[in-house]
Amino acid sequence: MPKQKKIPVEDLAVPPQNNKICGTICMCQMTAVLSCVALVYLSVAIYMPSIRAFQSGIAADPVMCTTTKAVNTDVCDWGSCGEWCLSKTSGSCIQIYVNLRHNGSNIFLANCTNTANKTCYGIDQENAKKYRCIADECRNLTGTFNCTMGMCINITDAFECVFSNKDYPLKCSGRRGKINCQGMDGLQNCNRGTCERIRTPYNCDRRCLGIPTRNKNAILLSGDKVYLSQCQRAFVTGTEQEIWNENQDNILMMSCYNIENTSLGIEAVDCINGTLLDKNLLSDLTNFTYLSYLSVINTKLLDETRTVAPPEIDLLIANDSKLLINMEGCVNTLKDECKEFLREYGKDGTDHNARGRFPCFYAEERSDIVVARFNLETTYREFVFASVVPSVLFVVSCLTLILCQRTVEVGDDARMRFKKRGGASDSRRAVDKENSVAKKKKSAKMGAKVLVKTLLQSVDVAGLMVKTKFYTSLCLGTTAILSVFAFLFLIPFVVDPAISTILANYEPSPVTCVAVDHVYAEGLSNCSWSSCREGCTTAALRCHQILVNYTRTPFAEWQKGGIDLETIEWDVGETKFYINTEGCGYPPQVNCSEFAKKYGYSTLGTPFPCYYSKTYPNMVVARYSWDDNLRYLILSLVIPNALFAASIGVLIYWYCPGCNKSRTPIDTSSYVENFHSKNE
């Protein structure tokens, strides 16, 4: 019988589409899983906040807020800004209170010449040089200093303070100087390391001199800036209503939110406290303090009807309203947005700089809460996008997988192809079944030895490799997806704590600590902080709060003896003590009851080893190991990312059309005979 001619692959009625089908299935599986997870996370991050925004009743048009106080509290039932919305604000936080008022007037000053502006800088709290008394940096302080818990900033060059009452002097120099001044607080008048606390009442004015007022008839104040000019007329923006002109022979003075000097004139936004000054009140030069004083005491209003640039008191809606960054009081970007928000909006004037003044939003039925960020259009757009995109991707992926399950089959050559329609396939199955039965009968007649030899000869290595490749691809796709999710979960549980520990820069060798106080408390309001928590994602309802003193003397030296605890000078006293950098963990590694028994209760006053942070000297922990911390960080970064990269790399190498041109293709001619040609 003549040998049957092999049918080329391209002439098959249903040629194999293995690469395309397999790639489509993998992509749809990954898309479906990612879309499902995205829907779960977006329900907390987008859907619920958006629905609350739609139902809040907050007006879309902003009003104005002025910061009145920024309080740093340890008992935090609410906070102005939190860095992560999935964890409730607990521990210490900053609460910002504002005065809420209606918008002022927009004023346009026409035909202005001889314009000048001056910025009266105060103290930049973030970048100013800080003197740490615990580090013995206060031994030579001279001048006026603003101190907070032993951290002092020199304000001598920026402010001139007038006072009469002072406290008993503290000597920050000498052998015990750093101990005496480690808790120094408030405004201090220092002379060669001897500081006296300035008691209230006192008055500190900015040293902002040389403001030119000669030939100026318009003075506008905006925060720490002063704008001066010689103008002819002033109008309400967008109207022809003239409110002032130079023929009145006086000086126009207002406080405005924003001022722009354009080619047409000066545009001032949200102007309030409009007054008219007599020219004899100003000389050729003046200072910022005097201008601020005039803006307060002058009683001659710009508009007697109190409608244009009215006094601020006439526009007031509410006092001491709570300020939130948004309706949730938190953000999820993890970009330190709250740090910038608190620095910009937390200016309450306690540092003698101008108070924060900014647009804000509120609901008429709840004026006790205001938000700094609110945009219904953006919220609606984000809500629609976050709802439609993952939902559509999930539905399309699932439908595609169902379609593949119904229309794709794996042939005898272990290649995936679409099922052939019509009766030819049924007849072919019948023929294949008859051939299979005939082969079984023939095999039964053969001897065992001949059967084994025949089976060994009939093993199709190429087909076995193709099937192995198929199932390996499924495993690699699953591994890649699981690696991504594993890495996402490792970020808050391992990576972030490890990086925080590295940044804290702990002393590698343990020093000597003594617990001086231990409090066991219950309730969220009483547990503003905890030395140990079992679980890092929930607020502590029961807590152990342990305070310690520590000295930089190594614990090994104390064990050798020769150190008297009664005469030792503690470097830091009564500071918070934590089990680790995060102050939390999970059983069995963390057992807070055993931790409290070991370091608190009856063991108070007993020295034990601890580790202090060189970056944050007030932070002390019981457990620290540089090697373990680095090992966990490397493993959590390398293993999931390596598995993901290896899995994706192999899949790309196998299925990318341009990646495997150099490889010798597998000979599938032996399987082609099992499929019909296009002409059959």
Side-chain angles (χ1 to χ4, degrees), residues 54-165:
F54 298 147
Q55 300 174 349
S56 64
I58 295 179
D61 297 326
V63 291
M64 295 301 296
C65 287
T66 303
T67 303
T68 56
K69 58 182 177 181
V71 181
N72 194 344
T73 178
D74 289 332
V75 181
C76 191
D77 54 347
W78 70 276
S80 291
C81 184
E83 287 289 355
W84 189 241
C85 294
L86 296 181
S87 59
K88 180 178 175 60
T89 301
S90 60
S92 61
C93 65
I94 294 183
Q95 300 172 340
I96 300 176
Y97 295 87
V98 298
N99 282 349
L100 179 66
R101 64 170 176 82
H102 293 291
N103 294 317
S105 304
N106 295 338
I107 306 298
F108 179 77
L109 300 174
N111 302 326
C112 296
T113 59
N114 196 20
T115 301
N117 67 79
K118 187 176 181 65
T119 301
C120 298
Y121 294 102
I123 295 295
D124 187 353
Q125 300 284 344
E126 295 291 330
N127 301 317
K129 177 176 174 55
K130 298 178 177 63
Y131 297 87
R132 296 173 54 246
C133 295
I134 191 63
D136 206 18
E137 297 176 354
C138 300
R139 59 171 53 245
N140 295 316
L141 295 184
T142 299
T144 305
F145 290 81
N146 189 13
C147 300
T148 304
M149 295 300 295
M151 191 82 69
C152 297
I153 299 176
N154 192 349
I155 65 171
T156 307
D157 295 334
F159 297 95
E160 181 180 1
C161 296
V162 179
F163 54 89
S164 57
N165 299 325

Side-chain angles (χ1 to χ4, degrees), residues 457-470:
Q457 292 177 350
S458 63
V459 171
D460 194 345
V461 178
L464 184 61
M465 291 179 61
V466 173
K467 289 184 178 181
T468 303
K469 176 183 175 182
F470 170 73

Side-chain angles (χ1 to χ4, degrees), residues 517-536:
D517 189 23
H518 177 202
V519 175
Y520 173 75
E522 295 184 357
L524 187 61
S525 60
N526 296 324
C527 293
S528 58
W529 70 278
S530 178
S531 294
C532 178
R533 283 188 297 146
E534 295 180 3
C536 297

Side-chain angles (χ1 to χ4, degrees), residues 11 57 94 107 157 202 224 247-248 297 302 316 399 462 651:
D11 291 337
I94 294 183
I107 306 298
D157 295 334
Y202 62 83
D224 295 324
N247 296 328
Q248 297 180 11
I297 63 127
L302 170 64
L316 193 63
L399 291 177
L651 291 174

Side-chain angles (χ1 to χ4, degrees), residues 31-49 84 86 332 386-387 390-391 394 485 489:
T31 303
V33 174
L34 292 177
S35 300
C36 185
V37 174
L39 288 171
V40 174
Y41 278 101
L42 289 174
S43 63
V44 178
I46 299 293
Y47 306 149
M48 295 172 61
W84 189 241
L86 296 181
N332 289 312
S387 301
S391 300
F394 179 77
F485 290 112
F489 280 104

Side-chain angles (χ1 to χ4, degrees), residues 501-516:
T501 302
I502 292 175
L503 295 178
N505 190 19
Y506 290 102
E507 175 65 33
S509 301
V511 297
T512 305
C513 277
V514 170
V516 295

Side-chain angles (χ1 to χ4, degrees), residues 299-319:
T299 58
K300 188 176 181 180
L301 298 179
L302 170 64
D303 183 13
E304 295 296 337
T305 62
R306 306 169 80 96
T307 56
V308 178
E312 185 175 8
I313 191 66
D314 292 354
L315 302 173
L316 193 63
I317 300 174
N319 286 320

